[in-house]
Amino acid sequence: MNRLDKIKKIPKVELHCHLDGSIRVETMFELCKDQGLISKNISIKEFATMVQLIEPCNSLKKYLEKFSYAIEVLQSKENIKRIAFELIEDASIDGVMYIEIRFAPLNHTARDLTEDEIIEAVITGAEEGKQKYNVSYGIILCAMRHEGIERSRKVIELAAKHKSFGVVGVDLAGNEQDYGPELFIDAFVEAEKKGLHITVHAGETGNEENIVKSVKLLKARRIGHGIHAYKNPEVIKFLIDNQIPLEMCPTSNVDTNAVDNYKSHPILDYLRKGIKVTLSTDNRTVSRVTLSEEYNMLMEQLNLNANEMQKLIENGIDVAFCSEELKKQLREQVFKAKNIMSELN
Ligand SMILES: [Zn+2]
């Protein structure tokens, strides 16, 4: 068994995974053809280059263009349900025992679906996957920065409404340069009052101050990426002192040019400094990566050792937006895999 196969066998958790960035290429290809969105003559290989990054791109905008077909197919209940189910199936194949799936419900109302129907379709698909594969999940609803505070309020209301049915929290995503955390204070203070878990994309595209602001002003309990924290030692100290978890996604950061290359990614430096780092894929399809492959890359490129891998997995369990009971079960599963983990060194 090679190292990647061993990593697949180790129970893992994934906290930062976007539904629209993680649709199987085959599924998207089939649905796009059915809906007449692409020419009948196009091959799956050609199509793959339209929805996946083949090489790093020089802007977040170009990266986001890769999502256009995904959004087009995520406009019917059947498609949404199928895609959520397949993501759980893919997680299972990858040895992921718990996954938090995030999406922006308001991106899927272009045709006739209501936000409630969209959320219910994701939960139905994920639940079917859970029953079949025993992979647990939590749903995070994303508010998009460029849509403004009123739409954020709407997303938070929706999350609160579906809280007992699988939605565990809310996220703030999108253009952090032009829409700083200050603009969303009222909405996110309200989210905290409603008992929702909060995570915020911050420090992904250069502005490290957004990390601290997201925690202090928006009550974020986890930070998506936080990669640029290294620019300010005060931010690093803040993350360590307050044990603020980072949901780090190295391949995605290479793809968006947030770092020059994999070797220069600060993830292990942060982990070794005592920051509560976790590992995720961000967008499995767009970045052509699974969580096992992400761990394998860390071993290959940055010399991650087995103890550090275990730490990343345990950190993920500690800060997951799920019950203590489920965390206990997940820790037991990881403990049972200690032998496979020790073979990785
Ligand atoms: Zn993300």
Side-chain angles (χ1 to χ4, degrees):
M1 211 189 319
N2 67 24
R3 187 170 65 194
L4 183 59
D5 287 334
K6 284 180 189 166
I7 295 173
K8 280 185 195 167
K9 289 197 175 300
I10 296 167
K12 297 171 287 300
V13 300
E14 173 153 22
L15 305 181
H16 192 127
C17 182
H18 293 263
L19 182 69
D20 55 357
S22 305
I23 308 173
R24 285 180 191 162
V25 174
E26 299 78 13
T27 299
M28 232 187 310
F29 183 65
E30 179 194 319
L31 297 175
C32 280
K33 282 211 164 167
D34 287 352
Q35 290 177 219
L37 296 168
I38 51 172
S39 143
K40 292 265 181 238
N41 303 324
I42 201 164
S43 71
I44 188 159
K45 227 174 155 188
E46 271 174 276
F47 179 71
T49 65
M50 293 149 73
V51 295
Q52 295 188 301
L53 274 171
I54 306 304
E55 55 187 29
C57 62
N58 52 19
S59 74
L60 193 60
K61 191 172 163 277
K62 275 195 180 160
Y63 180 75
L64 295 175
E65 279 170 12
K66 295 286 174 187
F67 293 80
S68 58
Y69 286 107
I71 296 296
E72 291 271 3
V73 299
L74 283 164
Q75 301 291 343
S76 79
K77 278 190 211 173
E78 302 69 41
N79 290 0
I80 294 174
K81 205 180 105 182
R82 171 179 171 181
I83 287 161
F85 173 83
E86 288 179 354
L87 181 52
I88 296 282
E89 191 167 52
D90 289 344
S92 169
I93 293 164
D94 197 20
V96 174
M97 306 312 292
Y98 172 79
I99 183 165
E100 288 177 6
I101 303 169
R102 60 182 78 193
F103 65 98
L106 305 179
N107 278 350
H108 309 290
T109 53
R111 277 186 228 144
D112 51 1
L113 291 184
T114 65
E115 292 94 347
D116 288 326
E117 287 172 327
I118 295 156
I119 297 164
E120 282 158 17
V122 174
I123 294 172
T124 307
E127 190 60 35
E128 267 179 34
K130 179 185 172 182
Q131 298 306 327
K132 188 164 178 189
Y133 297 107
N134 199 24
V135 172
S136 302
Y137 68 91
I139 303 293
I140 296 173
L141 301 187
C142 305
M144 301 305 294
R145 288 186 163 92
H146 68 276
E147 292 179 341
I149 189 158
E150 282 315 314
R151 297 269 269 183
S152 295
R153 281 206 181 93
K154 173 81 185 161
V155 170
I156 287 160
E157 258 172 48
L158 287 164
K161 187 173 168 188
H162 293 269
K163 201 175 145 226
S164 316
F165 307 97
V167 175
V168 293
V170 286
D171 170 34
L172 183 62
N175 180 347
E176 61 169 314
Q177 299 296 83
D178 300 326
Y179 303 89
E182 309 68 11
L183 301 171
F184 301 91
I185 296 174
D186 292 353
F188 279 78
V189 165
E190 196 53 33
E192 199 202 26
K193 279 190 199 154
K194 289 180 191 294
L196 292 162
H197 294 291
I198 299 169
T199 175
V200 172
H201 281 73
E204 180 184 7
T205 52
N207 192 342
E208 78 282 0
E209 283 157 23
N210 284 346
I211 297 168
V212 178
K213 283 185 189 169
S214 298
V215 174
K216 288 189 174 170
L217 303 178
L218 303 183
K219 313 295 174 195
R221 291 296 167 260
R222 297 194 322 231
I223 293 294
H225 300 283
I227 182 172
H228 286 101
Y230 67 86
K231 289 182 174 168
N232 183 344
E234 287 298 315
V235 176
I236 295 285
K237 188 173 178 317
F238 176 82
L239 290 171
I240 298 169
D241 289 352
N242 296 286
Q243 285 294 285
I244 303 298
L246 298 184
E247 306 156 0
M248 301 207 86
C249 314
T251 300
S252 167
N253 299 143
V254 174
D255 283 348
T256 57
N257 260 336
V259 286
D260 290 341
N261 52 53
Y262 214 99
K263 277 199 192 309
S264 57
H265 199 284
I267 181 166
L268 283 202
D269 186 38
Y270 289 179
L271 184 72
R272 288 165 189 164
K273 277 192 166 90
I275 295 177
K276 194 101 180 161
V277 177
T278 66
L279 186 68
S280 293
T281 61
D282 207 9
N283 296 292
R284 288 169 167 253
T285 303
V286 175
S287 284
R288 298 186 301 156
V289 72
T290 64
L291 189 59
S292 295
E293 286 166 349
E294 199 77 76
Y295 275 106
N296 200 32
M297 287 284 275
L298 284 186
M299 293 193 150
E300 211 170 88
Q301 303 274 334
L302 293 168
N303 298 321
L304 177 89
N305 64 40
N307 288 340
E308 288 165 336
M309 177 179 183
Q310 191 178 338
K311 183 76 182 156
L312 286 173
I313 296 172
E314 287 171 351
N315 281 350
I317 297 173
D318 290 348
V319 305
F321 294 159
C322 69
S323 69
E324 285 305 319
E325 195 191 329
L326 179 55
K327 288 183 185 186
K328 195 169 160 251
Q329 289 169 20
L330 293 168
R331 286 188 190 105
E332 280 166 9
Q333 283 174 290
V334 175
F335 183 77
K336 282 183 195 154
K338 269 195 165 167
N339 284 348
I340 315 175
M341 199 118 53
S342 63
E343 284 173 27
L344 293 172
N345 274 331

